[in-house]
Amino acid sequence: MVTGYKAAYNYKCLNQHYEVGDTYSFDEKPILCERGYHYCKNLKNVFLFYSMGPRTNIFEIKALGDIVRDESNVHIDPDFVLKYATNSIKIVRELSDLEIIGKLHLTHEYDEINKILTYKTINGFWITKVYDENN
């Protein structure tokens, strides 16, 4: 079982809707960039494929099935693998914006009284989010 990070927009990636706690599987072998549940072991790598936006969800996952990995950079560094794919994945939890910002050491300000978060993304853009009682 491998732990990693998966992104989605509005809880959806391609035609799959994801829910925390659920497991998704199919019988065929995964093929990178064609078939499989794609994820990264390094949180920062997720943002090479997804933008840090207001509708982006980042999940901590467990890869439960067969795993294939991106071999394109292995000749540079055997440990530098950008992405993986599996045929069985469990969505463990969703990371909060503040947790992602903390793990990536991003510049940010958070107004706890008005629940306003402003942060600088990996790409250098600034995002401001205003939270309601449901976050």
Side-chain angles (χ1 to χ4, degrees), residues 4-135:
Y5 302 97
K6 172 156 191 56
Y9 292 122
N10 289 326
Y11 299 93
K12 196 171 182 182
C13 178
L14 299 175
N15 291 323
Q16 182 66 59
H17 182 83
Y18 293 98
E19 295 287 337
V20 172
D22 286 353
T23 300
Y24 304 90
S25 300
F26 62 90
D27 293 332
E28 299 173 86
K29 295 272 186 196
I31 299 173
L32 205 63
C33 300
E34 288 184 31
R35 173 176 68 220
Y37 304 105
H38 291 78
Y39 66 96
C40 300
K41 286 187 183 178
N42 181 328
L43 177 60
K44 189 173 185 177
N45 290 351
V46 171
F47 299 105
L48 296 172
F49 306 100
Y50 281 78
S51 64
M52 292 184 83
R55 291 173 173 66
T56 304
N57 313 99
I58 304 298
F59 302 109
E60 179 183 309
I61 62 93
K62 296 281 185 193
L64 306 171
D66 299 322
I67 296 172
V68 294
R69 67 185 201 156
D70 178 5
E71 298 283 341
S72 62
N73 294 305
V74 174
H75 65 283
I76 299 168
D77 180 349
D79 296 323
F80 188 66
V81 178
L82 292 179
K83 63 183 171 179
Y84 298 79
T86 184
N87 56 356
S88 183
I89 192 170
K90 179 176 178 74
I91 307 298
V92 176
R93 67 189 185 96
E94 184 175 2
L95 279 66
S96 71
D97 293 325
L98 285 172
E99 188 174 5
I100 294 165
I101 288 165
K103 285 179 179 286
L104 297 178
H105 307 288
L106 300 176
T107 302
H108 71 284
E109 291 182 14
Y110 183 60
D111 176 347
E112 288 189 45
I113 295 170
N114 296 307
K115 294 191 174 196
I116 299 172
L117 172 64
T118 301
Y119 63 94
K120 189 175 185 178
T121 68
I122 290 173
N123 303 14
F125 297 101
W126 286 92
I127 291 179
T128 298
K129 291 184 176 182
V130 180
Y131 298 92
D132 63 13
E133 62 277 353
N134 299 318
N135 286 327

